[in-house]
Each structure stands twice: as structure tokens, then as C-alpha cells.
Amino acid sequence: MLYKFKSRSTADIIMLQAHGRQILQAIGKSPDDAHGIVTADQIPGAIQALEAAIAADEARRAEGNEGEGASGAQDQDERGDAGEAVRLRQRAAPFIDMLRRSAAEGKEVTW
């Protein structure tokens, strides 16, 4: 399943199910609903919630990197370079932009 986020202020954003669910959970919306809405009044809170989720994700990643010693580096090589992994900040950036543009024009975001 894909999530297709729409706004009259921007182009559509399409996300894979896992990533779309993560975004919706971060903003306090039910990812189980096939369709939903973030009203213009809800957008500022959604942006704050998403930015808090991004900060928490980055803090978790920083803690994980500090705890790795020589064996952690070896495990990292076997799994692949974590520095190349797409982070929540990168996945959420287009959605945050959509929210900001929609708020500026007083439009809602739907999926």
C-alpha cells in the first residue's frame, strides 16, 4: 500500500506504507485509516510533533553511534553503512514543506 498525501497548495507526495505510517503516527493521526485529513488549524501542531519525532530519532541514532566500539564498527560494515541510510528528517522534509505551504494558504492536507 502507498500513502498519497494531497494539498491544493502543493504537488502530491507518495510514500511507501512503512514511511507514511511513521509520519502519520508522529503527527498523531491513525495510520490505519485509509483516508484522513490534517486541517489548516491542526497543521502547526503536526509540524511541531513531526519536528519532535525527528529530534528524538536523531538523538536515538547519536546514542547508538556513541555506544559502538571496535566491534560495533565491524558489525556496521556487515550491515552496510548507516551513514547512507535515509533518516526520518530526510523522509519528512517534503511533508513538512507541504504542511507549511498549506498552512500559509489555509488549505488542508489529505490522504
Side-chain angles (χ1 to χ4, degrees):
M1 178 177 151
L2 297 174
Y3 283 97
K4 186 174 187 177
F5 297 98
K6 296 181 174 193
S7 172
R8 288 187 226 146
S9 302
T10 65
D12 296 349
I13 296 174
I14 299 174
M15 289 188 191
L16 295 174
Q17 181 177 7
H19 306 134
R21 290 180 68 85
Q22 183 181 22
I23 297 289
L24 290 174
Q25 288 172 337
I27 64 172
K29 296 291 184 176
S30 174
D32 296 327
D33 295 337
H35 302 286
I37 187 169
V38 180
T39 64
D41 293 336
Q42 295 172 333
I43 289 175
I47 292 171
Q48 287 179 339
L50 201 47
E51 288 174 343
I54 290 167
D57 179 61
E58 290 179 349
R60 249 189 329 272
R61 288 179 184 264
E63 279 182 19
N65 289 340
E66 288 177 11
E68 290 180 358
S71 64
Q74 182 181 1
D75 292 341
Q76 184 106 357
D77 290 338
E78 293 171 5
R79 290 189 311 255
D81 185 9
E84 293 180 18
V86 178
R87 299 177 186 252
L88 179 58
R89 174 178 296 285
Q90 294 164 299
R91 290 197 193 284
F95 188 70
I96 291 173
D97 182 58
M98 174 183 266
L99 290 173
R100 286 189 176 135
R101 288 179 183 211
S102 297
E105 294 184 22
K107 306 291 185 188
E108 67 277 343
V109 174
T110 61
W111 68 92

